[in-house]
Amino acid sequence: MKKKLIAGNWKMNGSLASNEALLRAVLDGMAQQAPACDVAVAAPAPYLAQVQALTAGSSLAVAAQDVSAHEAGAYTGEVSAAMLKEFSVRYVLVGHSERRQYHHENDSLVAIKAQRALAAGITPIVCLGETMQEREAGLTEAVVKRQLAAVIHLNGHCISEIVVAYEPVWAIGTGLTATPEQAQEVHAVLRSQLAAATEQPDRIRLLYGGSMNAGNAAALLAQPDIDGGLIGGASLKAPDFLQIIASAK
Ligand code: PEP
């Protein structure tokens, strides 16, 4: 049976001092109560070396928040998949809604980023989800299927190696959360879309993200097609993050 995955997304937060305090507290908690799930934290790029050093020898995996669609070369400011690999990065977020919204990343760019990650031996966590306007217009299913289809189209042969994070845009950082039933409904749609692309759709972990916290995690994680969580705000507080980890059985 596959383990659930709980991944923290620190976004553009932290400092050398606060990261160390947070990581030490999370690692202490994980040492006291061994998680039944896989755990990762996605740190800003300048802190990957610090996270790599502090988590060495532990079961806490290093994740990155983005990767370049290019392999190498004259792309100022970009970070390649090969560079991430040198810092023991195991997972990388691609297509987070904040990248889609503020950096105008489209479905095909996200698919290329997933491809770059896979080629470097890094698991892409493909983020997708609808806006409130799209949900209200009855477009949720069409939007998430379109977003996932682009990734399947380019990466079909190794699609069972990806992780998908369903993150309704209206739930990210807003305190609004999809109900467990709403989240499960979308996850079931994604699972059947994956079933058409691979013989092993159950191998693929489907995470829910969007204001998941210590109070609502257990109910969300109890849904049959929710295989973990992508956690923003609550991953910055060690007790909350540890509580979510403990809920992922
Ligand atoms: C995220 O950044 O992916 C996220 C889910 O954020 P939050 O948990 O703060 O809504």
Side-chain angles (χ1 to χ4, degrees), residues 52-145:
Q52 179 191 34
L54 285 168
T55 59
S58 81
S59 61
L60 183 53
V62 186
Q65 297 178 11
D66 188 30
V67 63
S68 177
H70 303 284
E71 197 172 348
Y75 300 102
T76 303
E78 295 273 280
V79 177
S80 73
M83 292 171 186
L84 296 180
K85 190 71 184 168
E86 290 203 296
F87 293 92
S88 310
V89 167
R90 179 108 50 96
Y91 304 95
V92 62
L93 308 184
V94 297
H96 191 281
S97 69
E98 288 150 15
R99 303 278 330 159
R100 292 181 191 259
Q101 186 180 351
Y102 305 130
H103 301 272
H104 311 292
E105 296 195 1
N106 60 25
D107 296 341
S108 51
L109 183 76
V110 172
I112 295 170
K113 289 186 171 201
Q115 186 182 42
R116 288 279 177 225
L118 287 164
I122 297 172
T123 301
I125 300 180
V126 177
C127 304
L128 41 83
E130 82 288 0
T131 63
M132 183 54 97
Q133 208 180 10
E134 289 164 338
R135 173 163 282 266
E136 285 174 352
L139 294 172
T140 299
E141 188 171 326
V143 168
V144 299
K145 281 173 116 174

Side-chain angles (χ1 to χ4, degrees), residues 9 11 93 96 98 127 167 171-176 208-212 230-234:
N9 174 15
K11 310 195 191 206
L93 308 184
H96 191 281
E98 288 150 15
C127 304
E167 300 205 293
I172 298 180
T174 58
L176 296 173
Y208 168 78
S211 299
M212 191 186 265
L230 181 55
I231 324 296

